[in-house]
Amino acid sequence: MAAYSAASKAVFQVFRDTTPLVEGISIDEAFLDVGGLRRISGTPSEIAVHLRARVRREVGLPITVGVAKTKFLAKVASAVAKPDGLLVVPVGGELAFLHPLPVERLWGVGPVTSAKLRDRGLRTVGAVARIGEAALVSMLGVAAGRHLHALAHNHDPRTIQTGRRRGSIGAQRALGRTPRGPRDLDAVLCGLVDRVARRMRAADRVGRTVMLRLRFDDFSRAARSHTLARATSNTGTILEALRGLLCAAMPMIDERGVTLVGVAVGNLDDGRAVQLMLPFNPDSGAELDSAVDAVRDRFGSSAVTRAVLLGRAPGLAMPMLPD
């Protein structure tokens, strides 16, 4: 996972060096707006060629690029060009490229929707475009019908969105079906809270609502939340609130078993603009959090850990977009 994270950061750095308008949608996929770079870097197709070459040279990875006027069509073009390809949809030729494709290329068409469309003889995007919006609405519902009608005509007004921040920051741990006692679950909770609080401080975020998510042996789920008196990124405060939620959920866990524990902090705000509370508390734990973060940043996440986590597997930390 560390290798995935490092590669993702390196590739996104190349993206940001190419254009400031980058919208990441996963750790290995992004939209880039290069429409205003013609005099600086060349045409979109030339920029795409240079981008692929630079990622291959600097990161050592192949990437596939789709070039089009809309986000939807650029994504479709990149999917058609895989693996390791470049596909440019010419201006004016969008529908000629799009309409022969199977209906599964439309965003939002999964197995269920695909079956409904194919049962009615609609196998290509062009066939979907020809039947009209009213027919699609009666077949799929208002939202899905209008959505697919617009995409089938390449109507996608969305622009590149930059600077969007997460609404919550969380982490989860799959536990398998081995029975877990209160001490084991508390250790898992400590590890997750350490990870989430550190990410919040690194992103200068604070939050008021803590959430506990559980998955049981029968694959059912439960969620519990608690809103704090003030926004915080303090590890101790978040952990104390989540321990209370976990304690309240123990009767359910004892009865139904637990296979996954997740935690999250929502109602996020900018940590650099927090109204301080009076009276000031000199022992808030902020200094300890800062010191531990500094050690981990310099020497690695395992350089300092809780005694309760010694000898326990930390679980996988999935690579993700910046917080």
Side-chain angles (χ1 to χ4, degrees), residues 122-307:
L122 305 175
R123 293 177 170 80
T124 66
V125 177
V128 173
R130 287 190 292 271
I131 70 167
E133 181 179 299
L136 285 172
V137 167
S138 66
M139 189 187 312
L140 304 173
V142 175
R146 290 178 176 175
H147 171 71
L148 293 188
H149 181 264
L151 293 185
H153 291 85
N154 193 35
H155 294 162
D156 183 10
R158 296 172 304 155
T159 59
I160 301 298
Q161 301 293 317
T162 62
R164 291 189 302 174
R165 308 194 76 180
R166 296 179 187 272
S168 65
I169 295 177
Q172 63 185 25
R173 173 91 181 272
L175 305 177
R177 292 185 175 273
T178 303
R180 307 276 179 163
R183 287 189 176 184
D184 291 331
L185 293 177
D186 185 72
V188 171
L189 191 70
C190 287
L192 293 174
V193 171
D194 278 351
R195 190 186 305 173
V196 169
R198 183 184 176 195
R199 282 175 52 197
M200 291 176 64
R201 292 189 292 272
D204 287 321
R205 311 296 298 278
V206 292
R208 286 192 62 202
T209 302
V210 298
M211 293 162 277
L212 175 71
R213 298 188 178 96
L214 303 170
R215 186 181 67 202
F216 302 108
D217 281 350
D218 60 359
F219 296 101
S220 62
R221 296 174 180 267
R224 300 290 184 267
S225 65
H226 173 71
T227 298
L228 303 170
R230 59 186 294 265
T232 184
S233 61
N234 177 256
T235 302
T237 303
I238 296 170
L239 179 58
E240 180 182 2
L242 283 165
R243 275 176 166 162
L245 295 177
L246 181 62
C247 182
M250 282 307 299
M252 283 194 303
I253 294 173
D254 291 338
E255 178 183 349
R256 300 160 66 181
V258 63
T259 60
L260 180 142
V261 175
V263 304
V265 180
N267 279 342
L268 297 180
D269 206 343
D270 190 339
R272 297 165 297 185
V274 176
Q275 177 65 51
L276 297 178
M277 298 284 287
L278 294 174
F280 295 129
N281 180 7
D283 189 25
S284 64
E287 294 82 2
L288 176 60
D289 283 339
S290 297
V292 172
D293 289 346
V295 172
R296 288 172 171 168
D297 289 342
R298 182 171 181 179
F299 299 106
S301 298
S302 60
V304 177
T305 190
R306 294 173 180 268

Side-chain angles (χ1 to χ4, degrees), residues 23-39:
E23 178 184 347
I25 55 176
S26 72
I27 66 162
D28 63 351
E29 193 170 16
F31 291 113
L32 283 70
D33 187 343
V34 298
L37 301 178
R38 188 176 297 270
R39 293 187 178 183

